[in-house]
Amino acid sequence: MYNSRITGLGYHVPDSVVTNDDLSKIMDTSDEWIQERTGIKERRHAKKGKDTTTSMGVAAAKIAIERAGIDKDDVDFIIFATLSPDYYFPGPGVLVQRDLGIKTVGALDVRNQCSGFVYALSIADQYIKSGTYKHVLVIGSEIHSYGLDMTTRGRAVSVIFGDGAGAAILSREEDTTKGILSSHLHSEGQHAEELSLIAPGMGKRWVTDILEDKDKEDTSYYPHMNGQFVFKNAVVRFSEVIMEGLQTNGLKPSDIDLLVPHQANLRISQFIQNKLGLADDHIFNNIMSYGNTTAASIPIALTEAWEQGKVKEGDLVVLAAFGSGFTWGSVVIRW
Ligand code: UT7
């Protein structure tokens, strides 16, 4: 019997800081609206011709590998979570294998958007617990900015999302009281289109056919979000799946040392914090600086929390995410 433990963490964000005031120069929005509704002050935007989802993931991975004290050749498997891959296919997992010069290990791409990193971690955990692999590289990376509608029409979505990458090395742990205690994954495809990007999926052909006005601009290349509906579902599912994780392990909210929720909206995080009765130093948020970086948000936040000394040996750390699909999940970790 083995457990799996996070032995290395890293993140990488592009240099370019885009403030709310910067956005208000190109669309009808304001610092006041964005901060009041989301808590976001600024986000990073990647540089075209320099940054790719893969290159940022690789940069984060190098830091995680070094901190884990392993060599790239010790990596037995790669899992890459993103909704913004460099290519429609192949996925970025194989590009990481190539760019890091890792031997011909398996590379898997996870397409679970905001809960992508939680799903990826859960898969890695199963491989390690089963004894199949010793070290799994798990990456979450996103470049949203290249594909957002940066006009007033797209403001309800484009002000929220930012670019960045985070990575973790999950390693075999002989002490089964340490590491990932359990993970919990859910989906509800009934609401698939409420937070979606239709093109370039094969379903786009169908969307084009049903456009009533054929001359209308095809906006299916932009993400669509029914914000209030997503918000209402998020607060319910986040709380449910955190409680599921705690109850599975005979724990309660007051046992949580640090909750790292997917950074979707500061108001969502605050709602969960209040519902669980967590003090401010038992939840970690950094959406103020990076916006919502989808699959990258948890590994970036977890890395920052760890770098700030907020994750210590023996701590109970809970990761939780909700997003497009809808999919949601949690991971309960004894650090
Ligand atoms: O990570 C995946 C999961 N995602 C989420 O969990 C996101 C969940 N949803 C949300 O975070 C919020 O719904 C949003 C932040 C997206 C939107 O906040 P809201 O309070 O739900 O605003 P709303 O969509 O109801 O829009 C309110 C008003 C509208 O104007 P009218 O119709 O009242 O005149 C919008 O047109 O705000 C307007 N609006 C904006 N105004 C200034 C929408 N976006 C903007 C903007 N700047 N960027």
Side-chain angles (χ1 to χ4, degrees):
M1 274 287 284
Y2 300 114
N3 232 3
S4 72
R5 194 165 63 88
I6 293 177
T7 51
L9 284 164
Y11 79 94
H12 174 87
V13 289
D15 298 331
S16 169
V17 176
V18 178
T19 65
N20 294 342
D21 285 336
D22 291 333
L23 292 178
S24 68
K25 288 179 193 136
I26 55 171
M27 63 182 79
D28 182 11
T29 190
S30 65
D31 179 47
E32 192 191 0
W33 190 97
I34 300 171
Q35 282 212 53
E36 193 183 303
R37 308 277 175 141
T38 71
I40 300 166
K41 294 182 177 168
E42 57 191 40
R43 74 287 293 141
R44 303 296 178 100
H45 279 182
K47 192 171 169 21
K48 284 186 184 154
K50 175 175 178 265
D51 302 310
T52 66
T53 296
T54 301
S55 74
M56 296 198 310
V58 164
K62 282 182 179 166
I63 300 168
I65 289 170
E66 196 193 328
R67 285 177 172 167
I70 62 167
D71 186 78
K72 64 177 173 58
D73 291 324
D74 296 321
V75 171
D76 299 313
F77 196 63
I78 300 163
I79 309 182
F80 201 123
T82 188
L83 65 68
S84 50
D86 298 2
Y87 309 137
Y88 185 57
F89 73 82
V94 299
L95 304 181
V96 168
Q97 182 271 332
R98 177 180 71 186
D99 294 354
L100 277 178
I102 293 176
K103 54 188 193 287
T104 58
V105 301
L108 176 71
D109 302 295
V110 167
R111 292 174 43 90
N112 287 73
Q113 300 71 242
C114 298
S115 50
F117 190 78
V118 163
Y119 266 74
L121 213 54
S122 174
I123 298 165
D125 179 45
Q126 308 311 315
Y127 273 124
I128 290 176
K129 283 192 172 128
S130 68
T132 308
Y133 299 129
K134 212 167 168 185
H135 301 289
V136 180
L137 169 60
V138 184
I139 300 173
S141 178
E142 305 284 2
I143 292 188
H144 291 300
S145 62
Y146 297 173
L148 293 172
D149 179 355
M150 300 300 276
T151 68
T152 298
R153 182 182 58 188
R155 65 184 179 176
V157 172
S158 53
V159 302
I160 296 170
F161 291 92
D163 304 337
I169 293 289
L170 203 66
S171 304
R172 181 184 290 177
E173 169 63 53
E174 313 263 334
D175 179 352
T176 52
T177 62
K178 274 189 191 165
I180 294 184
L181 303 181
S182 62
S183 55
H184 310 269
L185 307 177
H186 295 277
S187 71
E188 191 175 26
Q190 185 189 344
H191 305 308
E193 285 78 18
E194 302 292 351
L195 177 46
S196 59
L197 195 157
I198 303 298
M202 296 305 147
K204 182 182 146 27
R205 220 177 275 228
W206 170 79
V207 170
T208 309
D209 285 350
I210 60 162
L211 275 181
E212 278 173 22
D213 179 356
K214 299 281 181 204
D215 294 329
K216 211 172 139 199
E217 188 192 346
D218 178 5
T219 55
S220 65
Y221 284 95
Y222 293 125
H224 158 77
M225 177 163 73
N226 181 351
Q228 291 199 5
F229 185 74
V230 175
F231 193 106
K232 282 179 196 148
N233 278 268
V235 290
V236 173
R237 297 309 194 183
F238 261 113
S239 310
E240 269 178 18
V241 82
I242 293 166
M243 287 311 295
E244 182 185 352
L246 291 172
Q247 281 160 7
T248 301
N249 295 286
L251 298 163
K252 41 192 194 313
S254 56
D255 293 317
I256 296 177
D257 291 300
L258 195 68
L259 172 66
V260 181
H262 161 56
Q263 301 292 292
N265 183 322
L266 192 59
R267 308 295 159 239
I268 294 178
S269 292
Q270 288 166 339
F271 185 96
I272 307 161
Q273 180 185 352
N274 287 338
K275 192 146 188 215
L276 298 177
L278 300 178
D280 288 349
D281 56 349
H282 290 276
I283 183 165
F284 190 85
N285 290 303
N286 62 2
I287 190 168
M288 305 73 90
S289 313
Y290 302 119
N292 179 345
T293 58
T294 307
S297 92
I298 287 184
I300 294 175
L302 186 58
T303 306
E304 280 203 333
W306 178 81
E307 286 175 351
Q308 292 170 22
K310 293 182 173 163
V311 180
K312 297 176 292 301
E313 181 105 17
D315 278 357
L316 186 77
V317 178
V318 178
L319 314 178
F322 173 89
S324 165
F326 295 149
T327 61
W328 62 100
S330 64
V331 179
V332 182
I333 306 170
R334 180 63 69 190
W335 206 266

